[in-house]
Amino acid sequence: MTDKIRIAVVGANGAFGMKHLDGLANIEDAEVTVVSATSQEKADAVAEKYGIPNAVVGLEAVLERDDVDAVILATPTGLHASQTQAVLAAGKHVQVEIPLADSLADAEATLAAAEASGRVAMVGHTRRFNPSHQFVHGRVEAGEFAVQQMDVQTYFFRRTNTNAKGEPRSWTDHLLWHHAAHTVDLFAYQAGRIVEAHAMQGPIHPELGIAMDMSIQLKSETGAICTLSLSFNNDGPFGTFFRYIGDTATYIARYDDLFTGKEEQIDVSDVAVSMNGIELQDREFVAAIREGREPNSSMRQVIDCYRVLGELEEQLA
């Protein structure tokens, strides 16, 4: 394959759709041929901003095109499973933003569709690609560091239904199926398969219908443990912060940046070709298509995360 991988970004007007477009702009082997949004006006605005030749509304208008090899889905969580299956049925490669689905049954059905398709099928578990977590993973793989405990805080101030840009959202976010998925997958990636999981949640919000606070405890097959605190009520720093406590060091990861346990910054600029985790995620997607191989964060690799989330949902119910 010598030509560029032709990509459509669906949900391009959202916060993460634009993050993908920013990343793809730096990837020589990728060409965004079309963007899709919920209205023609929004699609046109994104296409003009990024210099994309085609702008359409909805997924169906993307799948009927012959200038699309692969689709990135940055759409509402509730659509992920069905849209991913539709992309695969159309014979196109797919990367779907986290979470793959909001139920274990839908995740398993989507994995079955991916395995039957022969196409590259990847989920946007960005933490696997952040240079900070890549650095730690490299030390784990080299036998130089073993995780004993991970302490993770996922905090937002989101008492209204808004997205990462502060704009009104048409769907309801979820601490378990969306935000916890990042840490559940990362903990298994760094410390081994999860063999025990427990969860508690706070009161259900009367309007949003979801818990605004949650606590999760995990244990891996290596004996490592993880404590994850999640909140939509925290009036403070926005995002997720990871503390790795290991047998030889302590690390604090804040997205793409890494620090020692004493808050000394570690230079991770040479870990990968970019310091942008989402760009690195998209580079892996494009490379896997070009090389005809399974990508890191494939559906097969991350399905166990959704097994754990399904178990936790049953506990909370």
Side-chain angles (χ1 to χ4, degrees), residues 183-260:
T183 296
V184 170
D185 180 67
L186 180 67
F187 178 58
Y189 186 60
Q190 305 286 40
R193 187 175 189 267
I194 294 168
V195 296
E196 193 172 347
H198 305 280
M200 292 188 298
Q201 65 183 11
I204 303 298
H205 191 282
E207 296 176 6
L208 298 178
I210 59 172
M212 302 293 280
D213 292 275
M214 190 173 293
S215 177
I216 294 173
Q217 289 181 307
L218 307 169
K219 186 175 184 178
S220 82
E221 60 189 355
T222 64
I225 61 173
C226 175
T227 301
L228 169 60
S229 171
L230 307 104
S231 181
F232 283 145
N233 278 318
N234 185 64
D235 190 4
F238 178 104
T240 303
F241 313 101
F242 301 80
R243 180 182 291 269
Y244 289 96
I245 300 173
D247 57 345
T248 58
T250 294
Y251 298 110
I252 300 170
R254 299 185 179 100
Y255 291 93
D256 297 304
D257 296 320
L258 187 66
F259 303 81
T260 69

Side-chain angles (χ1 to χ4, degrees), residues 106-274:
D106 283 347
E108 291 177 335
T110 308
L111 173 61
E115 292 181 334
S117 72
R119 296 294 185 266
V120 170
M122 180 176 169
V123 189
H125 285 261
T126 312
R127 300 297 163 259
R128 290 181 176 226
F129 300 94
N130 293 118
S132 54
H133 299 298
Q134 280 200 48
F135 178 94
V136 175
H137 191 70
R139 292 210 65 199
V140 170
E141 289 289 284
E144 299 169 349
F145 178 79
V147 176
Q148 305 297 312
Q149 181 174 179
M150 283 176 61
D151 182 70
V152 185
Q153 299 175 334
T154 294
Y155 291 158
F156 302 91
F157 189 68
R158 190 177 288 167
R159 294 176 184 169
T160 57
N161 207 15
T162 54
N163 66 13
K165 296 193 295 182
E167 298 172 346
R169 173 179 262 158
S170 62
W171 53 284
T172 303
D173 204 355
H174 200 285
L175 289 175
L176 179 64
W177 285 98
H178 185 174
H179 297 288
H182 281 294
T183 296
V184 170
D185 180 67
L186 180 67
F187 178 58
Y189 186 60
Q190 305 286 40
R193 187 175 189 267
I194 294 168
V195 296
E196 193 172 347
H198 305 280
M200 292 188 298
Q201 65 183 11
I204 303 298
H205 191 282
E207 296 176 6
L208 298 178
I210 59 172
M212 302 293 280
D213 292 275
M214 190 173 293
S215 177
I216 294 173
Q217 289 181 307
L218 307 169
K219 186 175 184 178
S220 82
E221 60 189 355
T222 64
I225 61 173
C226 175
T227 301
L228 169 60
S229 171
L230 307 104
S231 181
F232 283 145
N233 278 318
N234 185 64
D235 190 4
F238 178 104
T240 303
F241 313 101
F242 301 80
R243 180 182 291 269
Y244 289 96
I245 300 173
D247 57 345
T248 58
T250 294
Y251 298 110
I252 300 170
R254 299 185 179 100
Y255 291 93
D256 297 304
D257 296 320
L258 187 66
F259 303 81
T260 69
K262 298 177 180 179
E263 292 288 353
E264 301 159 329
Q265 187 157 13
I266 298 170
D267 183 6
V268 294
S269 60
D270 61 349
V271 169
V273 297
S274 170

Side-chain angles (χ1 to χ4, degrees), residues 2-126:
T2 56
D3 296 331
K4 292 185 177 183
I5 306 300
R6 300 170 299 175
I7 297 175
V9 177
V10 181
N13 59 300
F16 274 80
M18 290 187 177
K19 287 176 186 280
H20 281 288
L21 289 168
D22 289 336
L24 290 165
N26 297 323
I27 303 174
E28 291 184 0
D29 285 349
E31 177 186 6
V32 180
T33 53
V34 57
V35 291
S36 172
T38 53
S39 73
Q40 193 63 53
E41 181 181 7
K42 291 178 179 179
D44 287 341
V46 174
E48 181 178 358
K49 178 179 179 179
Y50 288 94
I52 310 302
N54 302 291
V56 300
V57 176
L59 177 62
E60 188 174 332
V62 167
L63 298 184
E64 64 190 17
R65 302 180 67 92
D66 59 7
D67 61 350
V68 174
D69 303 310
V71 178
I72 294 177
L73 295 170
T75 53
T77 292
L79 300 176
H80 285 184
S82 61
Q83 288 189 335
T84 300
Q85 292 173 35
V87 173
L88 293 166
K92 302 182 189 299
H93 307 284
V94 64
Q95 179 188 176
V96 58
E97 258 305 325
I98 195 172
L100 169 59
D102 54 9
S103 76
L104 177 57
D106 283 347
E108 291 177 335
T110 308
L111 173 61
E115 292 181 334
S117 72
R119 296 294 185 266
V120 170
M122 180 176 169
V123 189
H125 285 261
T126 312

